[in-house]
Amino acid sequence: MDIYTNYRNFKDFLQLYNQMTDTCFGKCVDNLYSRQLEPNELSCIEDCASKFIKFNSKIMTTFVEVQNTIVQRRMKDMEEQLKMEK
Amino acid sequence: MAQATEAQKIQLLQDLEIEMMADMFNRLTTSCHRKCIPPVYNDSEIAKGEAVCIDRCVAKFLDIHERIGKKLGQLSMQDENLLKK
């Protein structure tokens, strides 16, 4: 892997990390009566973070699958159109 | 960028760190503004309650950021160990 790909991957990872904090903070913190995180907020964040990671990998595999079928369909359509033109 | 020197690599990483810190700060600002400042603008000063809220909000946000960071660190360690096996 060249340095540009590495850099890009690392940057995407960090961006996801920030987004994860943002999302889980928004969903798990419902009151600000204390500076410390409460036990229910802690378990919520634990679950939110794990779910975010799993969601991310799931959506990636699904995207690749669907994208592949779309590309294949387009190729087929184009071939058929070429045949029609001939 | 394929033949970057060590100094260039370090510069790149430092720039990235600042950029990500700014991104995190922007998200924190938006979140805490939404949670702590009610959209009623009768006073230009930050009220006492709002100030306390901001303090707690920032503390909790940074706490969550750190915890998630640790979790991600652990997970990537696990992944690396799995790859080694």
Side-chain angles (χ1 to χ4, degrees):
Chain A
M1 251 201 288
D2 66 306
I3 181 173
Y4 179 72
T5 321
N6 265 331
Y7 174 81
R8 184 64 205 270
N9 278 344
F10 188 50
K11 189 175 173 180
D12 285 348
F13 165 75
L14 289 178
Q15 243 154 10
L16 228 49
Y17 171 29
N18 280 353
Q19 203 196 327
M20 196 149 108
T21 307
D22 198 0
T23 310
C24 293
F25 175 83
K27 301 236 186 242
C28 291
V29 174
D30 63 351
N31 69 63
L32 289 160
Y33 300 142
S34 146
R35 291 191 90 199
Q36 266 80 44
L37 288 161
E38 281 153 40
N40 63 325
E41 289 174 335
L42 282 178
S43 70
C44 175
I45 281 154
E46 198 68 24
D47 293 343
C48 176
S50 298
K51 209 164 232 192
F52 194 99
I53 295 163
K54 284 171 192 157
F55 165 76
N56 206 61
S57 66
K58 174 80 185 150
I59 206 157
M60 225 135 60
T61 47
T62 315
F63 175 77
V64 171
E65 270 173 38
V66 176
Q67 187 73 2
N68 270 339
T69 54
I70 289 173
V71 169
Q72 275 165 11
R73 203 183 57 214
R74 268 194 206 143
M75 295 275 277
K76 223 175 112 193
D77 285 355
M78 258 160 63
E79 277 169 16
E80 271 170 22
Q81 213 168 10
L82 277 175
K83 273 182 199 162
M84 294 268 276
E85 278 168 18
K86 279 177 190 171
Chain B
M1 214 194 282
Q3 291 118 16
T5 62
E6 280 307 305
Q8 279 172 322
K9 280 182 195 168
I10 290 168
Q11 182 65 43
L12 215 59
L13 280 179
Q14 278 172 348
D15 289 351
L16 187 63
E17 194 183 348
I18 290 169
E19 196 184 328
M20 287 303 135
M21 189 85 109
D23 179 55
M24 200 263 283
F25 181 76
N26 284 337
R27 288 169 187 275
L28 173 114
T29 309
T30 317
S31 290
C32 290
H33 192 277
R34 196 174 53 231
K35 280 198 194 277
C36 292
I37 312 290
V40 184
Y41 293 105
N42 296 330
D43 191 356
S44 67
E45 295 302 318
I46 298 274
K48 181 91 186 294
E50 290 170 348
V52 171
C53 179
I54 291 165
D55 178 66
R56 290 170 179 167
C57 182
V58 174
K60 277 195 178 181
F61 195 97
L62 292 181
D63 193 352
I64 291 173
H65 196 66
E66 209 182 313
R67 278 169 200 274
I68 289 181
K70 276 191 192 142
K71 197 180 169 69
L72 285 173
Q74 279 171 2
L75 285 172
S76 65
M77 287 269 279
Q78 276 174 13
D79 280 358
E80 268 174 37
N81 287 340
L82 272 175
L83 282 176
K84 274 179 200 160
K85 274 175 194 167

